[in-house]
Amino acid sequence: MTYFADLTPYTYSRDDDTVRYEWGTLNYRPRYERLNVGWLDASQPFDTGPVPDWFADALLDIVGNPSVNERRGLHLCEFCPSDTSLIADPRSDGQSWLAFREIRVPARPGVMFAAPALVWHYVSAHDYRPPAEFVEAVQRYDADWATEPSPWIPPDAERAVWGRTPRNVMLRCVRCGQKFELHYTPSEPGRRAVSLATQQLREQCPDHGKEWEFWDKIR
Ligand SMILES: [Zn+2]
Ligand SMILES: [Zn+2]
């Protein structure tokens, strides 16, 4: 895994954050500075030592609440044998991997700690002791930071909605990112939305064919 020293500015993936909800995802340029915590690597020493009794459980409660930046990278534990280095969320019967997600923990106004979900495993299995300010931030964690309206999320955040029936919704070309509105009106009865979308995307992006996804914008 890529190593980043604790409390350095986050540069692991792009300059946007994607938060997952039950209905879909929100993507935005953060209104907060991101500070790394827990990006450990076998090539670098890390702080170990006692942490408060409640700490590991509190950290696990933050994983998935909400889930951030899913599948931007694969985070394996380099301190476990390679055949067990893909760590599961213990609450999920091995169905959900910590390797594919991150967490955000508000530190102070305008500053957010950014950690791989694997940080829970480092603490509980390898005695990793994160910086004291991170421990304190976990103790007072409030998942409401991700509920809009939120001072942490800009008003131009964009959302992608799962499984929505297309009816005048925004589509986005997967290849070039160009967005356009799908015009799906009752005046075209019997016409399947998917073929309409494909036709309209071909008009908008002649080079890209039919790779598109639903895309909504908060207004
Ligand atoms: Zn491990
Ligand atoms: Zn395109």
mmCIF file of all heavy atoms in Angstrom, residues 173 176 205 208, ligand 2:
data_model
loop_
_atom_site.group_PDB
_atom_site.id
_atom_site.type_symbol
_atom_site.label_atom_id
_atom_site.label_comp_id
_atom_site.label_asym_id
_atom_site.label_seq_id
_atom_site.Cartn_x
_atom_site.Cartn_y
_atom_site.Cartn_z
ATOM 1 N N CYS A 173 -21.851 10.824 -19.995
ATOM 2 C CA CYS A 173 -21.023 9.947 -20.827
ATOM 3 C C CYS A 173 -19.871 9.424 -19.973
ATOM 4 O O CYS A 173 -19.112 10.203 -19.398
ATOM 5 C CB CYS A 173 -20.476 10.692 -22.035
ATOM 6 S SG CYS A 173 -19.306 9.710 -22.996
ATOM 7 N N CYS A 176 -16.191 10.549 -21.605
ATOM 8 C CA CYS A 176 -15.648 11.910 -21.577
ATOM 9 C C CYS A 176 -16.218 12.756 -20.454
ATOM 10 O O CYS A 176 -15.750 13.852 -20.206
ATOM 11 C CB CYS A 176 -15.888 12.616 -22.908
ATOM 12 S SG CYS A 176 -17.606 13.014 -23.217
ATOM 13 N N CYS A 205 -22.267 12.671 -28.103
ATOM 14 C CA CYS A 205 -20.883 12.195 -28.109
ATOM 15 C C CYS A 205 -20.720 11.155 -29.201
ATOM 16 O O CYS A 205 -20.680 9.963 -28.938
ATOM 17 C CB CYS A 205 -20.515 11.539 -26.767
ATOM 18 S SG CYS A 205 -20.355 12.666 -25.414
ATOM 19 N N HIS A 208 -18.309 8.245 -28.769
ATOM 20 C CA HIS A 208 -18.281 7.375 -27.594
ATOM 21 C C HIS A 208 -19.354 6.307 -27.540
ATOM 22 O O HIS A 208 -19.314 5.449 -26.668
ATOM 23 C CB HIS A 208 -18.325 8.205 -26.313
ATOM 24 C CG HIS A 208 -17.068 8.985 -26.119
ATOM 25 N ND1 HIS A 208 -17.010 10.132 -25.386
ATOM 26 C CD2 HIS A 208 -15.820 8.785 -26.595
ATOM 27 C CE1 HIS A 208 -15.775 10.609 -25.405
ATOM 28 N NE2 HIS A 208 -15.040 9.807 -26.135
HETATM 29 ZN ZN ZN B 2 -18.396 11.215 -24.580
#
